[in-house]
Amino acid sequence: MTLEALLKKPKTIETIPYIESFLNASSNAFELTKAKYFYAEVLTEIGEFMKSNQLCEYLLEELKHKEDDDLYLDVLYLMSINDIELKDYITAKKRIEQRRRALPILKQYLYYMDLIRLSKAKDEPYDQYVNKALEDAIPDAIRQTLQLDKLNGYVDTGAYDLAIDMIKQLRMRLLTPEIALKLQLIELDILIKSKHYEAVLGITNQVEQVKFYKYHLQALIGLK
């Protein structure tokens, strides 16, 4: 089996014998390293977080003089995921900081994404990291994800004016149909909570969408 074929296998326990067979058969150093990383990903996927980290430690040793290699960054990222799953937040933070030192300048926003992920796991505030990431030049898809995160925070705290402003900002960008629908539903939630029933009917009368029906009914009931 080629490395390319192996990496297309699903990340399930059934794939492990194929990986081990490949590791025993190949002598190419690059392919062996890639296969080991894939093995670590599979272990994470099936919940073997400690075993995954043990394998990642070996990989870091192999990559210790290749800190500019994307695989080095990937290994540290995977280890931080494992640490968070194991609730070892101190070690997860160390891995995140270690990864930050190796990140290119144009990818520093990934550091804040890691901190957001860690903060969510610890159920801690993470607004400051969202704001920091949004200050950087980041891909549009990630910017939208962060702005949606911020939007949800506004809704949760009842800051509806800020939420509506954020929705307007997001709508100025090219949105996927899924994101556009999500924004519309959030806006309808806000309008219902703030008792702007006429505005709700103005939206739900224009669009035939099953998910809008409950808002339409709530507005009619609100208007008696």
Side-chain angles (χ1 to χ4, degrees), residues 85-116:
E85 290 291 342
L86 293 166
K87 301 191 186 313
D88 185 355
Y89 301 131
I90 293 174
T91 305
K93 183 67 161 58
K94 287 179 182 176
R95 294 301 180 192
I96 288 169
E97 293 296 337
Q98 189 178 353
R99 184 172 184 246
R100 181 194 193 184
R101 292 192 289 273
L103 281 169
I105 291 174
L106 292 177
K107 289 190 175 181
Q108 283 295 308
Y109 67 88
L110 293 174
Y111 169 65
Y112 298 113
M113 300 295 286
D114 288 343
L115 291 177
I116 290 167

Side-chain angles (χ1 to χ4, degrees), residues 44 49 53 74-87 92 95-96 117:
T44 296
F49 307 116
N53 264 355
D74 291 341
V75 170
L76 289 172
Y77 176 74
L78 187 63
M79 293 183 84
S80 70
I81 288 176
N82 292 331
D83 292 330
I84 288 172
E85 290 291 342
L86 293 166
K87 301 191 186 313
R95 294 301 180 192
I96 288 169
R117 187 163 40 85

